[in-house]
Amino acid sequence: MNIQTEHRHPSTGPTPYDEVYYPGHVYGLTHPNHLATIAAVYGMEPAPVERCRVLELGCGVGGNLLPMAFQYPNSTFVGVDLSRVTIERGQQNLATLGLSNIKLLHCDIMNVDASFGQFDYIIAHGVYSWVPPAVREKMMMIFKQNLAPRGVCYVSYNAHPFSHLRDMARDMMRYHTRRLTDMKEKVGQARAILKFLSDGSKPNSVHGAVMRDQYNRVLKSPDELLFHDDLDDGAEAFLLHEVAEDASRHGLQYLGDADFSRRYLGGYSEEVRATLQRFPESEFMARDQYQDFIDGNGFRRTLLCHDSISLSRQIDLDFVTRFHLLSPTNPIHSDSCVTDDSAMEFENQDGSRVTVTNPLLKAAYLCLGRAWPRALSFDELLDAARALLGDQQAADDQKVLTEAMFILACSGEVSFLLSRPFLVKEATEHPQASLLARRQAQTGPLVTNLLHQTVQLEDDRTRDFLQLLDGARTIDQITAEMTEKFGPTIRIDQKDGAGQPAEPLLLSTRESVQRSLAMVGKLGLLVA
């Protein structure tokens, strides 16, 4: 990796991120496979994620970038961050995994120049709103200078109109804590003043409703995020059009929102839908800006590309047939009939539900859920659904499935990807979990799966179990080691449909191992 600026360290002293650790997470909408997918929807020909170059500005410990590098060994990843302590921690993580296709550099964004080369995907999550104007200007220059001709840039920031309300609460918290320096005390007092103001405001006033909403927001926010995101004096929010116009000044154009489902207008009134649909293709950004006004949006995930690229905003009904489809859907009642027109209800991971009556669509939903976390091409899904119905076929099967998947993909109920993710669901005789997840499980319950999602392991026993899935042990050997550590039977705590404790399961260790292997597969942690 030829980067002459690798050792050009910042001249500034310690940053707040050196003193207060900012947790490193994965952000699914920043993944190059997702960025390539959105670009392809709008007519671009993005670089294949299996062989691409990715730059992340403000990479922190590499919590977002490292799993990408783990997934795509033939791609190159570079992260820069101003915090020396954070970068050193990230470099220790890299050494543990032995990755050679990623570098985390202690480097000021202001020092990123042409010598870094060009990148197919540039990511800047949680940076733009928290840096001075000169750095924001430099970021736009990087987006233009270091973005490959077919490249896609992701930049997120606090957005108006919601941030006007957030800024009101921030002003109050920052004033109250202005003389405090200790993080714990500062965060504690920030929550305390908002509680005081929330309780003291008139319950039937608009102001009171806003204060209670803001208090509930900061109450749920982790200490480190509240400290860095809300109590930072320099944080600034923007309207979408302001960022898009600044990008245009640098020879870039607005590609779209990273969350494709925001295009879906099914949840709006007929009048709102009709108005937004009247915007011509040339005013796509303006349409999104007005939608922000309607939604009260407070955080933007904006995609940019070079202004020389010709984009198509027209989404054809059959666009889903070009992508791989996946959904973690499950039937509410497993004994429902698939072959007739009776209603069958399905639930997604987020709790949303869909009721389906068409036999082909019921079969398709079942196939998606059974395949998860594997993705199916449209043809694979159609063939699997027909097979589930006893190879019954109708002339309009493809049309019916296309129309249904179009709506589900646009609404976010079904995900779609340009490139098939590298993972398996079924355990082999020598099951192997992701090395990244095994390393993460050694220090906590949160691990990253191969769909670039954070998943939580059930308990310490599951964390121990994951360490045994190294590809060298057979299922019999894993069972023997689990028996030695936990005994011949294992108690599995359960909850009923209402989330209340239910009668626990007592399983033999072998049954428990088989159950755990199925669970790990469903979580997207098993590798081929």
Side-chain angles (χ1 to χ4, degrees):
M1 191 182 301
N2 183 22
I3 300 176
Q4 280 71 33
T5 51
E6 180 175 351
H7 300 293
R8 191 188 301 173
H9 298 315
S11 58
T12 58
T15 74
Y17 295 89
D18 289 321
E19 300 167 11
V20 178
Y21 172 62
Y22 194 91
H25 296 298
V26 293
Y27 305 101
L29 296 182
T30 70
H31 194 281
N33 198 3
H34 176 78
L35 301 182
T37 298
I38 302 301
V41 168
Y42 292 127
M44 290 180 63
E45 295 181 3
V49 295
E50 294 82 4
R51 291 185 178 275
C52 67
R53 299 194 77 226
V54 180
L55 170 67
E56 183 169 23
L57 305 179
C59 65
V61 295
N64 187 45
L65 202 61
L66 190 151
M68 299 176 190
F70 180 78
Q71 285 179 283
Y72 298 102
N74 294 319
S75 293
T76 300
F77 300 83
V78 178
V80 301
D81 201 281
L82 189 61
S83 168
R84 177 184 58 79
V85 173
T86 299
I87 285 294
E88 288 177 353
R89 185 178 298 191
Q91 289 170 341
Q92 291 170 4
N93 294 336
L94 295 186
T96 301
L97 291 168
L99 297 176
S100 60
N101 63 331
I102 175 173
K103 286 199 174 183
L104 302 181
L105 308 178
H106 179 216
C107 175
D108 193 324
I109 286 174
M110 300 297 287
N111 290 337
V112 176
D113 56 24
S115 69
F116 275 66
Q118 291 193 324
F119 296 85
D120 302 299
Y121 304 97
I122 298 179
I123 302 164
H125 181 81
V127 179
Y128 196 80
S129 279
W130 291 271
V131 292
V135 181
R136 288 197 291 271
E137 174 73 10
K138 176 63 176 181
M139 289 174 68
M140 284 294 177
M141 294 171 63
I142 293 169
F143 297 160
K144 179 61 180 179
Q145 172 185 263
N146 297 93
L147 189 65
R150 295 184 296 157
V152 179
C153 170
Y154 168 107
V155 56
S156 65
Y157 46 92
N158 282 343
H160 293 313
F162 176 81
S163 284
H164 287 300
L165 305 180
R166 179 175 182 168
D167 287 347
M168 181 179 72
R170 285 183 61 242
D171 289 343
M172 298 170 182
M173 291 187 291
R174 286 166 51 232
Y175 175 77
H176 182 66
T177 63
R178 65 194 183 281
R179 295 189 179 93
L180 303 178
T181 56
D182 178 74
M183 189 273 282
K184 288 292 183 183
E185 185 180 9
K186 199 175 184 75
V187 165
Q189 282 299 308
R191 290 198 180 100
I193 189 61
L194 274 200
K195 183 179 189 306
F196 171 74
L197 298 173
S198 173
D199 291 344
S201 59
K202 293 181 179 179
N204 58 348
S205 68
V206 173
H207 180 71
V210 171
M211 293 308 302
R212 286 187 292 279
D213 182 64
Q214 288 296 315
Y215 172 62
N216 288 332
R217 179 181 66 81
V218 303
L219 192 63
K220 298 173 185 175
S221 180
D223 289 358
E224 296 81 3
L225 269 64
L226 181 58
F227 178 79
H228 287 300
D229 292 358
D230 280 83
L231 300 180
D232 185 313
D233 290 336
E236 187 172 351
F238 303 91
L239 288 163
L240 165 62
H241 81 87
E242 294 174 327
V243 176
E245 288 164 6
D246 195 26
S248 178
R249 188 167 56 83
H250 287 82
L252 300 162
Q253 65 176 316
Y254 177 65
L255 175 60
D257 195 301
D259 183 356
F260 184 73
S261 67
R262 292 208 69 214
R263 274 194 61 132
Y264 185 62
L265 303 179
Y268 297 97
S269 69
E270 185 176 341
E271 180 183 0
V272 169
R273 287 200 305 273
T275 300
L276 293 178
Q277 286 169 345
R278 282 200 294 270
F279 279 86
E281 184 172 321
S282 60
E283 296 183 23
F284 186 76
M285 185 278 296
R287 195 216 80 144
D288 281 6
Q289 178 64 90
Y290 280 102
Q291 189 175 2
D292 277 2
F293 293 156
I294 295 169
D295 294 343
N297 193 27
F299 192 73
R300 260 267 159 203
R301 302 168 182 87
T302 292
L303 303 185
L304 304 171
C305 64
H306 289 292
D307 60 6
S308 58
I309 294 177
S310 178
L311 300 174
S312 174
R313 305 297 186 180
Q314 185 65 39
I315 307 298
D316 296 329
L317 190 68
D318 64 352
F319 90 95
V320 291
T321 63
R322 307 196 305 271
F323 298 96
H324 296 92
L325 308 171
L326 63 164
S327 175
T329 184
N330 282 302
I332 301 296
H333 303 291
S334 58
D335 58 350
S336 299
C337 183
V338 181
T339 56
D340 62 17
D341 291 329
S342 60
M344 191 171 182
E345 195 172 18
F346 294 86
E347 184 175 37
N348 266 334
Q349 280 180 329
D350 62 1
S352 62
R353 294 190 175 190
V354 174
T355 301
V356 186
T357 57
N358 181 289
L360 179 70
L361 300 185
K362 288 193 288 186
Y365 244 79
L366 279 171
C367 291
L368 284 172
R370 292 173 180 176
W372 175 269
R374 291 186 298 108
L376 301 176
S377 70
F378 182 86
D379 288 341
E380 287 172 338
L381 178 59
L382 179 59
D383 290 344
R386 283 171 166 168
L388 198 59
L389 296 175
D391 288 324
Q392 298 177 23
Q393 297 189 23
D396 64 345
D397 278 353
Q398 181 157 342
K399 179 175 181 293
V400 168
L401 188 60
T402 299
E403 291 174 349
M405 289 301 115
F406 173 84
I407 294 173
L408 293 170
C410 288
S411 64
E413 293 290 339
V414 168
S415 300
F416 57 99
L417 292 170
L418 188 62
S419 178
R420 195 191 300 267
F422 301 121
L423 47 74
V424 296
K425 187 186 79 169
E426 305 297 339
T428 63
E429 179 57 27
H430 292 78
Q432 183 177 359
S434 154
L435 175 61
L436 172 63
R438 281 185 277 136
R439 291 289 183 267
Q440 291 173 328
Q442 290 174 356
T443 58
L446 299 181
V447 301
T448 303
N449 71 4
L450 294 167
L451 292 173
H452 210 60
Q453 300 169 331
T454 297
V455 297
Q456 182 165 357
L457 303 180
E458 291 178 343
D459 48 37
D460 290 344
R461 185 177 66 246
T462 305
R463 292 169 57 193
D464 289 337
F465 173 74
L466 202 65
Q467 303 307 314
L468 303 178
L469 306 184
D470 58 3
R473 294 172 170 87
T474 65
I475 294 177
D476 286 341
Q477 290 172 324
I478 293 169
T479 302
E481 291 193 42
M482 290 293 287
T483 301
E484 182 179 354
K485 187 163 188 175
F486 297 104
T489 60
I490 290 180
R491 172 192 168 109
I492 307 293
D493 292 328
Q494 295 197 115
K495 293 182 179 180
D496 59 22
Q500 298 301 313
E503 187 72 21
L505 276 177
L506 287 178
L507 301 177
S508 70
T509 304
R510 173 166 286 278
E511 290 174 324
S512 174
V513 165
Q514 295 291 353
R515 184 179 184 272
S516 295
L517 280 173
M519 179 268 292
V520 168
K522 277 294 186 182
L523 290 177
L525 298 174
L526 292 181
V527 297

